[in-house]
Amino acid sequence: MAALPARTMQNEVIELGNKAIDGFRGRMRGPVLLPGDRDYDPARSLWNAMIDRRPALIARCVNVTDVIAATSFGREHDLLIAIKGGGHNVTGNAMCDGGIVIDLSLMRRCDVDVGRRVVRVEGGAVLGDLDAATQAHGLATPIGINSTTGIAGLTLGGGIGHLMRLHGLTVDNLVDVELVTASGERVRAAEDENVDLFWAVRG
């Protein structure tokens, strides 16, 4: 069977049309970047500079509502979807050609509950953000060794670091996770809710 020609980035934008893109921008609180926009090239840059992919759109999310809107838009228009957290994955999975990148790198908030000794971390936070938040309270959790690594990707990939011999991997310390499904639904997974999903994201 002959391979079908891949849709180019330019064709993807043309197929979507200005009306669809303007409508999407109206649903987003964060910016939506297209090729040629001033911030497009910096936003598509990854830690591994050998990765040079050019998505049709980059949705720079600032909250969960943006993530849901971007996920739904990608599904509605049959776009390839990539998720960018810290952008540190060496294989470049955070970026794609001709699709939509759901960029979480503006979502870096880390809230520490000192009484419970738990930190709630947004999907774009990097290890340096987590360290700064927890160390202010004399707390720490097992994480990696590079401060620019995204905490979400590190956790879901296991998470090897200096504290693991005493406290296990990063993922072993995951209490719960809030995520947006491919259908655009916001769900929580933990040992007492959506248990199968919780174990799935923990590998």
Side-chain angles (χ1 to χ4, degrees):
M1 180 183 293
L4 295 174
R7 290 182 293 184
T8 66
M9 173 194 62
Q10 293 84 357
N11 287 340
E12 202 70 80
V13 175
I14 291 170
E15 288 172 10
L16 290 174
N18 292 333
K19 184 176 180 180
I21 294 171
D22 289 345
F24 177 44
R25 280 181 161 148
R27 294 159 58 188
M28 290 282 295
R29 184 176 172 191
V32 175
L33 305 177
L34 302 178
D37 289 346
R38 182 184 61 182
D39 295 327
Y40 174 83
D41 282 331
R44 71 182 184 87
S45 298
L46 300 176
W47 178 80
N48 181 359
M50 293 180 65
I51 305 298
D52 184 25
R53 295 178 182 153
R54 303 184 66 85
L57 307 96
I58 301 175
R60 304 206 71 197
C61 302
V62 297
N63 55 31
V64 177
T65 302
D66 278 358
V67 176
I68 293 171
T71 302
S72 299
F73 184 82
R75 186 183 67 253
E76 291 162 6
H77 294 278
D78 194 27
L79 295 174
L80 179 65
I81 296 176
I83 311 295
K84 180 182 177 184
H88 204 274
N89 180 272
V90 69
T91 60
N93 293 333
M95 202 57 52
C96 63
D97 283 318
I100 180 172
V101 172
I102 300 176
D103 184 354
L104 307 179
S105 61
L106 298 180
M107 299 174 61
R108 297 176 60 170
R109 184 170 174 170
C110 300
D111 294 322
V112 180
D113 184 332
V114 178
R116 295 176 58 213
R117 301 172 66 88
V118 170
V119 57
R120 181 176 180 82
V121 183
E122 289 189 323
V126 297
L127 305 194
D129 300 322
L130 178 62
D131 272 340
T134 56
Q135 288 179 11
H137 303 283
L139 299 173
T141 195
I143 53 175
I145 59 175
N146 189 323
S147 64
T148 61
T149 300
I151 188 64
L154 177 84
T155 302
L156 299 183
I160 295 174
H162 295 302
L163 297 177
M164 69 177 185
R165 291 184 183 274
L166 186 61
H167 297 292
L169 302 175
T170 307
V171 73
D172 294 328
N173 294 272
L174 183 63
V175 176
D176 65 20
V177 58
E178 183 180 278
L179 54 83
V180 176
T181 66
S183 62
E185 181 184 4
R186 179 178 181 175
V187 299
R188 174 182 177 269
E191 290 186 350
D192 61 351
E193 185 176 356
N194 293 309
V195 178
D196 288 345
L197 179 59
F198 184 54
W199 284 106
V201 297
R202 295 180 66 187

